[in-house]
Amino acid sequence: MKHDQDINCPLREDELVSKVKLTSRERRFIRFASVEYDGQLYMTPQDFLESFVDQEPRPKVKRRALTDKDLEAIKDATPTLNKGSTIMFRSLQNKGIISYTEYLFLLSILTKPQTGFRIAFNMFDTDGNERVDKNEFLVMEKIFSHAWKDKRGLPADDVKTNEVTSAAGGDTQITEEYVDDERGLQRRHLVDTTLTVHFFGPKGKNELRFEGFRRFMENLQTEVLELEFNEFSKGAPTISEMDFARILLRYTYLDTDAYDMYLDRLLDREEADKGISFEEFRVFCQFLNNLEDFTIAMRMYTLADHPISKDEFLRAVKICTGQNLSKHLVDTVFAIFDEDGDGQLSYREFIAIMKDRLHRGFKLNTKNEGWDSFRQCVKQEIKSPG
């Protein structure tokens, strides 16, 4: 792969598309990744934030080829775990690298409940000291990343897997599975990334405690939500109810008429512009990370699949997350999603749209946009057992 490829046409995608069918995650990573090293593409922390919040990457003329000196500077710029913060990615900007596997892992952190990570941590914490080493963590990272991977369309001959080996003393070795697809996405990389240095130190010898990892997850979630919230608040302590609705619907595949229908409902029903605070917004987004548990609760709670009231909605959220949504925020959600204004929520439609929002549109094929596609998504969610 040549250095300094044009970022708008990385690696001649039109020439290779017949050989390799890229998933939506792979395409997005390629479009936003602004640096490369030794034939592998990497995102910077700034690239990652933009990929999660923005629809399109900012215009870049060239993809920057990193040198060994650049990697040392990145390692030196990476803060230790105890100095992590809710502005770490924004502070690092382009002084860091994130691999494709780490990109998928970070997506999991931003869209999954913490309980799954706690269970995985405990599984690898064989001695019960709530610590994992670098190799153990890399295995856990691959497990969560795998949930986002989709190898459909890749030639079987291109998949290469090295055997798992177990060293004396019980050290876990990671299975190197990658696709030689000329994209620089899934091949083995031996460089120290920003995440591994942050978690395990410059020499990779530190151990990671779950409490430190939990703080990292919360900091990253808060950082991304602050970025999204501030885009609409413009420095104010609240965003309008209409902006809240726009944030919820912005990554869904609704056509213009359907999108406007939801906003018009809110406009007609909202009595006063009280505003939504960041804390209200944060708690609601945490609830979305527990959407699967909420779905189960709704099915158990309603039995006959009846629509739910505001009180029932609040109780179900409390059961799933342990936190309370504000009455005003629930009123706003019902104003958007209560189809006929009877104070009852058709939770299946709400869940279908929120799943699309949570996954930033990755659940759907981008070619099948519009209201018909949305209705098909709703039907699939209604039929789906989980």
Side-chain angles (χ1 to χ4, degrees), residues 86-103:
T86 58
I87 60 170
M88 187 179 88
F89 278 51
R90 283 172 286 183
S91 297
L92 288 174
Q93 295 186 337
N94 294 322
K95 295 179 180 178
I97 54 172
I98 298 167
S99 71
Y100 177 62
T101 298
E102 290 172 336
Y103 165 68

Side-chain angles (χ1 to χ4, degrees), residues 6 13 24 30 40 70-71 141 156 172 190 197 277 292 343 352 384:
D6 186 343
E13 181 169 329
S24 57
I30 288 172
Q40 303 299 294
D70 291 327
L71 292 183
E141 181 182 78
T172 306
L190 299 177
V197 173
S277 70
E292 292 180 6
S384 172

Side-chain angles (χ1 to χ4, degrees), residues 228-290:
E228 195 166 21
F229 186 87
N230 292 341
E231 178 185 350
F232 288 87
S233 71
K234 308 297 183 184
T238 63
I239 58 175
S240 70
E241 289 79 4
M242 190 62 66
D243 283 340
F244 174 72
R246 292 188 179 102
I247 291 177
L248 295 190
L249 301 175
R250 70 191 301 194
Y251 295 108
T252 57
Y253 286 100
L254 297 173
D255 63 19
T256 301
D257 290 340
Y259 178 86
D260 289 343
M261 176 188 69
Y262 287 103
L263 297 185
D264 288 342
R265 278 185 197 167
L266 177 61
L267 190 63
D268 293 339
R269 297 170 181 173
E270 193 68 30
E271 296 180 358
D273 188 355
K274 299 178 182 178
I276 304 293
S277 70
F278 177 74
E279 182 60 20
E280 289 177 304
F281 177 65
R282 185 189 65 81
V283 172
F284 183 81
C285 290
Q286 280 189 338
F287 151 65
L288 291 186
N289 285 5
N290 292 270

Side-chain angles (χ1 to χ4, degrees), residues 19-37:
K19 180 179 179 181
V20 178
K21 181 180 178 180
L22 295 174
T23 68
S24 57
R25 276 79 65 189
E26 289 169 336
R27 288 195 300 269
R28 193 161 186 81
F29 184 87
I30 288 172
R31 287 169 57 210
F32 280 85
S34 64
V35 297
E36 67 160 278
Y37 176 78

Side-chain angles (χ1 to χ4, degrees), residues 46-319:
Q46 183 67 34
D47 292 337
F48 176 76
L49 292 178
E50 291 177 7
S51 75
F52 203 77
V53 175
D54 298 338
Q55 291 282 56
E56 300 291 336
R58 296 179 184 179
K60 300 179 179 70
V61 177
K62 300 289 184 181
R63 178 174 288 125
R64 186 163 60 98
L66 299 176
T67 64
D68 291 339
K69 185 177 179 180
D70 291 327
L71 292 183
E72 287 300 316
I74 285 173
K75 186 182 295 187
D76 292 340
T78 303
T80 57
L81 187 61
N82 62 358
K83 293 185 178 180
S85 71
T86 58
I87 60 170
M88 187 179 88
F89 278 51
R90 283 172 286 183
S91 297
L92 288 174
Q93 295 186 337
N94 294 322
K95 295 179 180 178
I97 54 172
I98 298 167
S99 71
Y100 177 62
T101 298
E102 290 172 336
Y103 165 68
L104 299 179
F105 180 67
L106 292 174
L107 287 181
S108 295
I109 288 177
L110 293 172
T111 58
K112 301 294 183 183
Q114 284 192 11
T115 51
F117 293 93
R118 181 72 198 224
I119 291 170
F121 218 90
N122 289 342
M123 290 294 291
F124 287 103
D125 177 24
T126 55
D127 56 6
N129 65 357
E130 294 197 339
R131 302 177 185 178
V132 296
D133 62 24
K134 182 178 177 181
N135 279 330
E136 290 169 336
F137 177 80
L138 292 177
V139 175
M140 186 174 74
E141 181 182 78
K142 287 175 70 69
I143 290 172
F144 280 95
S145 300
H146 186 73
W148 285 90
K149 288 186 178 179
D150 183 354
K151 297 185 177 67
R152 288 176 298 174
L154 295 175
D157 292 342
D158 284 346
V159 178
K160 303 177 182 179
T161 306
N162 294 338
E163 295 181 357
V164 177
T165 59
S166 181
D171 290 341
T172 306
Q173 303 297 313
I174 45 178
T175 301
E176 293 298 345
E177 182 176 306
Y178 60 88
V179 179
D180 189 7
D181 60 3
E182 300 183 26
R183 298 287 176 165
L185 291 181
Q186 295 169 315
R187 284 183 234 148
R188 183 177 179 177
H189 65 89
L190 299 177
V191 300
D192 291 322
T193 63
T194 298
L195 286 189
T196 56
V197 173
H198 182 60
F199 290 149
F200 302 101
K203 297 182 179 180
K205 300 298 184 181
N206 296 350
E207 289 184 315
L208 179 63
R209 292 176 178 267
F210 181 77
E211 179 58 26
F213 180 63
R214 184 191 62 78
R215 286 198 306 270
F216 170 82
M217 289 193 292
E218 290 184 352
N219 285 341
L220 178 61
Q221 290 168 355
T222 299
E223 180 161 13
V224 170
L225 292 178
E226 283 180 350
L227 202 63
E228 195 166 21
F229 186 87
N230 292 341
E231 178 185 350
F232 288 87
S233 71
K234 308 297 183 184
T238 63
I239 58 175
S240 70
E241 289 79 4
M242 190 62 66
D243 283 340
F244 174 72
R246 292 188 179 102
I247 291 177
L248 295 190
L249 301 175
R250 70 191 301 194
Y251 295 108
T252 57
Y253 286 100
L254 297 173
D255 63 19
T256 301
D257 290 340
Y259 178 86
D260 289 343
M261 176 188 69
Y262 287 103
L263 297 185
D264 288 342
R265 278 185 197 167
L266 177 61
L267 190 63
D268 293 339
R269 297 170 181 173
E270 193 68 30
E271 296 180 358
D273 188 355
K274 299 178 182 178
I276 304 293
S277 70
F278 177 74
E279 182 60 20
E280 289 177 304
F281 177 65
R282 185 189 65 81
V283 172
F284 183 81
C285 290
Q286 280 189 338
F287 151 65
L288 291 186
N289 285 5
N290 292 270
L291 204 56
E292 292 180 6
D293 291 341
F294 177 78
T295 304
I296 295 172
M298 286 295 91
R299 287 175 179 165
M300 296 177 65
Y301 194 81
T302 60
L303 295 178
D305 290 337
H306 292 157
I308 60 173
S309 68
K310 294 178 182 178
D311 287 342
E312 291 166 339
F313 184 86
L314 274 168
R315 183 167 181 267
V317 172
K318 174 69 173 180
I319 291 171

